[in-house]
Amino acid sequence: MRVIAGSAKGKRIESIEGILTRPTLDRVKEAMFGSIQFELPGADVLDLFGGSGALAIEALSRGARSAVVNDKNPACVKMIEKNLSACGFSDKARVTCEDFVALIGRLSRTEKRFGFVFIDAPYADGTGREAMELCFRNDLVSEDGCVILEHSRSEVPTAAEGLCELVKTKNYGKCAFSVYKRL
């Protein structure tokens, strides 16, 4: 995996083999970031299920101001820190090792809001939709921000009623991503 564009273009991003992570495909990442490229510079981003940190690193490479990158697996956290350092972004990112529900609760008690929240959770168990709803319910998304949720193509998570709306969905093979904005 490599950074697609920006200041760290071409830098290699390592991932951990043998654990149940599913790195975002380059073509999906390219489409995802192509759709937000003009809003990304200067934004603060949250990557709730960091894995290798690829989404946060791509955002930082394309001009995001800062990132909070989380993964509950300590081995992934070490890999994220290594990748951030290799790309020169350690000073722009904070890495956490928490359950996403606990992190959202803790972040909701601060005044910081995020322009972009990336959610690439396990597809099958509904975790992605739950995380998306919690982000809006806990006011973690800035007024003009959005949540970008990667999911199975066969199941587009519904918007959290009264909190957000589904703006668009893009399909790529067996996976897809959807963009949600606050109401």
Side-chain angles (χ1 to χ4, degrees):
M1 236 181 338
R2 296 197 182 277
V3 179
I4 296 170
S7 63
K9 181 179 179 177
K11 295 269 187 184
R12 187 164 188 254
I13 298 173
E14 296 181 37
S15 62
I16 298 173
E17 292 183 34
I19 62 171
L20 297 176
T21 59
R22 176 189 20 78
T24 301
L25 299 171
D26 280 350
R27 65 188 173 134
V28 175
K29 204 167 41 167
E30 192 166 354
M32 183 185 297
F33 282 94
S35 70
I36 61 173
Q37 66 185 341
F38 300 114
E39 293 85 22
L40 196 55
D44 297 306
V45 302
L46 171 61
D47 187 353
L48 277 178
F49 300 85
S52 65
L55 295 178
I57 290 169
E58 190 72 39
L60 290 167
S61 181
R62 293 173 182 244
R65 176 179 36 211
S66 70
V68 174
V69 191
N70 181 69
D71 201 288
K72 70 178 183 176
N73 183 325
C76 288
V77 167
K78 287 182 182 178
M79 184 60 65
I80 292 165
E81 290 170 339
K82 180 180 177 182
N83 287 332
L84 285 165
S85 178
C87 292
F89 296 130
S90 295
D91 61 331
K92 292 184 172 190
R94 182 167 45 112
V95 183
T96 60
C97 186
E98 298 182 54
D99 174 78
F100 75 93
V101 176
L103 177 65
I104 289 170
R106 186 169 59 75
L107 289 173
S108 71
R109 292 186 292 276
T110 70
E111 292 183 25
K112 185 171 187 114
R113 300 296 170 255
F114 298 92
F116 296 93
V117 178
F118 299 104
I119 300 175
D120 186 8
Y123 290 174
D125 63 3
T127 302
R129 188 194 185 284
E130 178 186 1
M132 177 262 296
E133 183 173 339
L134 284 172
C135 285
F136 283 109
R137 190 169 304 288
N138 285 279
D139 201 28
L140 286 186
V141 184
S142 66
E143 199 62 40
D144 56 348
C146 68
V147 170
I148 300 175
L149 173 62
E150 191 171 334
H151 54 84
S152 167
R153 179 183 186 150
S154 62
E155 249 180 79
V156 177
T158 58
E161 191 172 328
L163 296 173
C164 66
E165 64 180 332
L166 173 62
V167 177
K168 67 180 164 186
T169 297
K170 299 272 190 172
N171 296 308
Y172 297 90
K174 293 180 181 180
C175 73
F177 72 86
S178 294
V179 178
Y180 300 85
K181 291 208 175 225
R182 69 173 48 255
L183 291 175

